[in-house]
């Protein structure tokens, strides 16, 4: 491999920065132990191991990847002289990507004050590029709850480098050589001026500060983060209520879409929040769509989500039910409670 080839791959389209961020952007898809491994490779600029490892996850373990990630990996495999088209990989569309991110939920957690957290605070105080440390509870797709910490790095800093700088002594000095995942420790990292994936936006929105550098305005950094729409799920225990009946611009767009969408019978809008007060009081906009047949459900959800994303950001739930199938109880409550935005009129009865 020539130097020119090296430069072509790593520097055109800022490939090295994309590879450095890749394991962290996949935090909602990669198991913690493998994300830790590839995060260390990325933090140490071991690009060949990042490319080969993540590509192997996609082909051998079914790791879902986006079309952009597939392109990055295919070009990377060519760069390490292991050409592969990743035809066996599971490539996902924006809706499925949003659905995968929605499997994870975060809620505020008080500082732990344990040996891991104390070490991380000491590390942050010594590391000029570390600007904040926050913590939250993370609820996984299997219902498990785990504490997660997240380092926020200075604008222009490399989160992967700072993360590795914390992980190396943490595993040796505090965990006695154990890996983070093996010790049940989840440590994330984001840059103050980066554009965070949905997983990290939701983590940071729920997190409580443990340590913040003097003069660093953490709240301003979180608030300044772009708010593209984040798909969330309506939980079975969520409280659903109608909210204002006067349709805002988002409701009007959904109503207009429903009136012309093939197979859509009705659309409602409601608001939801967790039934357990310990989970916080964040209210989520929820749309319920009724279609004439179950085979239309996925397409209706995808197009409704696209319409909503044109008008608003932040967490939104889009739930779809078919008239020919009984919806689950929590979805039935949504349809019964929500503000009716549009309903297909009954066809006129034949004369006579």
């Amino acid at each position: 491999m020539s130097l020119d080839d090296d430069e072509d791959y790593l520097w055109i389209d800022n490939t090295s920065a994309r590879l450095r961020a890749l394991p962290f952007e996949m935090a909602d898809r990669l198991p913690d132990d493998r994300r830790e491994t590839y995060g260390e490779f990325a933090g140490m600029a071991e690009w060949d191991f990042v490319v080969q490892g993540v590509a192997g996850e996609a082909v051998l373990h079914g790791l879902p990847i986006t079309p952009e990630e597939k392109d990055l990996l295919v070009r990377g495999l060519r760069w390490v002289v292991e050409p592969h088209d990743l035809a066996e990989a599971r490539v996902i569309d924006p809706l499925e990507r949003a659905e995968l991110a929605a499997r994870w939920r975060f809620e505020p957690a008080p500082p732990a004050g344990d040996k891991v957290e104390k070490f991380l605070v000491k590390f942050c105080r010594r590391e000029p590029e570390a600007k904040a440390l926050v913590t939250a509870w993370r609820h996984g797709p299997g219902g498990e709850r785990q504490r997660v910490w997240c380092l926020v790095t200075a604008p222009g800093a490399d989160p992967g480098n700072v993360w590795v700088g914390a992980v190396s002594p943490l595993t040796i000095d505090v965990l006695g050589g154990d890996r983070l995942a093996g010790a049940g420790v989840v440590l994330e990292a984001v840059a103050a001026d980066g554009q965070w994936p949905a997983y990290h936006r939701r983590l940071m929105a729920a997190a409580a500060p443990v340590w913040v550098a003097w003069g660093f305005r953490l709240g301003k950094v979180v608030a300044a983060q772009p708010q593209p729409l984040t798909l969330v799920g309506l939980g079975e225990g969520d409280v659903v209520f109608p909210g204002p009946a006067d349709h805002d611009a988002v409701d009007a767009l959904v109503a207009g879409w429903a009136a012309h969408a093939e197979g859509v019978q009705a659309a409602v809008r409601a608001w939801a929040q967790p039934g357990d007060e310990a989970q916080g009081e964040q209210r989520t906009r929820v749309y319920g769509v009724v279609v004439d047949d179950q085979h239309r459900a996925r397409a209706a959800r995808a197009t409704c989500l696209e319409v909503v994303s044109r008008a608003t950001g932040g967490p939104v739930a889009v739930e779809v039910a078919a008239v020919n199938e009984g919806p689950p109880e929590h979805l039935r409550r949504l349809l019964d409670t929500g503000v009716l935005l549009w309903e297909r009129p009954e066809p006129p009865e034949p004369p006579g």
Side-chain angles (χ1 to χ4, degrees), residues 14-31 35-36 38-39 42 50 54 63-66 68-70 72 92 97-98 100-101 103-104 159-160 163 187-191 194-201 225:
N14 205 19
T15 297
S16 59
R18 293 177 62 193
L19 286 173
R20 198 181 299 277
L22 188 62
F24 300 96
E25 292 178 349
M26 289 183 159
D28 58 344
R29 288 171 282 161
L30 275 172
R35 196 286 307 273
E36 179 187 348
Y38 304 130
V50 175
V54 177
L63 173 73
I65 57 176
T66 66
E68 295 77 16
E69 290 164 350
K70 179 180 177 181
L72 181 69
I92 53 177
R97 177 73 185 88
L100 288 169
R103 300 176 305 162
W104 301 88
W163 183 84
L187 179 63
E188 307 281 1
V190 295
Q195 186 164 334
W196 307 334
Y199 171 93
H200 290 105
R201 288 199 306 272
Q225 192 57 212

Side-chain angles (χ1 to χ4, degrees), residues 4-305:
D4 288 343
D5 291 333
D6 188 327
E7 291 181 344
D8 284 348
Y9 179 63
L10 293 180
W11 303 116
I12 292 178
D13 298 329
N14 205 19
T15 297
S16 59
R18 293 177 62 193
L19 286 173
R20 198 181 299 277
L22 188 62
F24 300 96
E25 292 178 349
M26 289 183 159
D28 58 344
R29 288 171 282 161
L30 275 172
D32 291 332
D33 58 344
R34 298 205 282 274
R35 196 286 307 273
E36 179 187 348
T37 297
Y38 304 130
E40 289 180 347
F41 288 146
M44 295 183 290
E46 299 282 0
W47 307 131
D48 48 347
F49 291 117
V50 175
V51 169
Q52 292 167 314
V54 177
E57 295 290 338
V59 173
L60 301 177
H61 300 289
L63 173 73
I65 57 176
T66 66
E68 295 77 16
E69 290 164 350
K70 179 180 177 181
D71 174 70
L72 181 69
L73 293 170
V74 167
R75 291 190 296 113
L77 290 170
R78 191 179 305 127
W79 172 65
V80 298
V81 201
E82 289 188 15
H84 198 297
D85 61 5
L86 299 186
E88 305 94 330
R90 178 182 160 203
V91 180
I92 53 177
D93 59 23
L95 175 59
E96 189 171 2
R97 177 73 185 88
E99 289 172 339
L100 288 169
R103 300 176 305 162
W104 301 88
R105 183 169 57 81
F106 299 92
E107 66 180 65
D114 60 9
K115 61 182 182 180
V116 172
E117 189 170 88
K118 290 177 181 177
F119 169 85
L120 291 172
V121 170
K122 289 181 180 178
F123 168 82
C124 289
R125 286 174 174 158
R126 296 193 307 265
E127 171 55 60
E129 293 190 329
K131 294 301 178 184
L133 176 70
V134 302
T135 189
W137 291 118
R138 185 185 72 174
H139 294 256
E144 66 280 6
R145 187 179 82 156
Q146 190 169 19
R147 180 181 292 275
V148 56
W149 288 277
C150 187
L151 296 165
V152 183
T153 65
D158 186 331
N161 281 347
V162 177
W163 183 84
V164 166
V167 168
S168 298
L170 175 60
T171 55
I172 296 171
D173 298 340
V174 178
L175 302 179
D178 288 341
R179 306 280 296 174
L180 290 184
V185 177
V186 181
L187 179 63
E188 307 281 1
V190 295
D193 58 345
Q195 186 164 334
W196 307 334
Y199 171 93
H200 290 105
R201 288 199 306 272
R202 296 169 66 191
L203 161 60
M204 291 298 298
V210 176
W211 171 87
V212 181
W214 185 87
F216 183 72
R217 300 179 65 183
L218 177 61
K220 184 177 180 180
V221 169
V222 175
Q225 192 57 212
Q227 287 293 315
L229 181 141
T230 300
L231 181 67
V232 298
L234 178 63
E236 293 187 6
D238 286 357
V239 175
V240 180
F241 51 96
D246 50 332
H247 301 171
D248 63 10
V250 192
D251 292 352
L253 274 177
V254 172
W257 162 78
H260 297 91
E262 185 176 2
V264 172
Q265 301 297 303
V268 304
R269 189 265 302 131
W271 294 85
Q273 68 184 53
D276 183 353
E277 292 183 1
Q279 296 177 356
E281 298 183 355
Q282 177 176 312
R283 296 183 176 185
T284 301
R285 184 189 291 261
V286 186
Y287 287 99
V289 178
V290 179
V291 294
D292 57 8
D293 193 87
Q294 184 60 37
H295 78 274
R296 298 188 194 273
R298 179 171 178 80
R301 192 168 188 233
T303 53
C304 181
L305 187 70

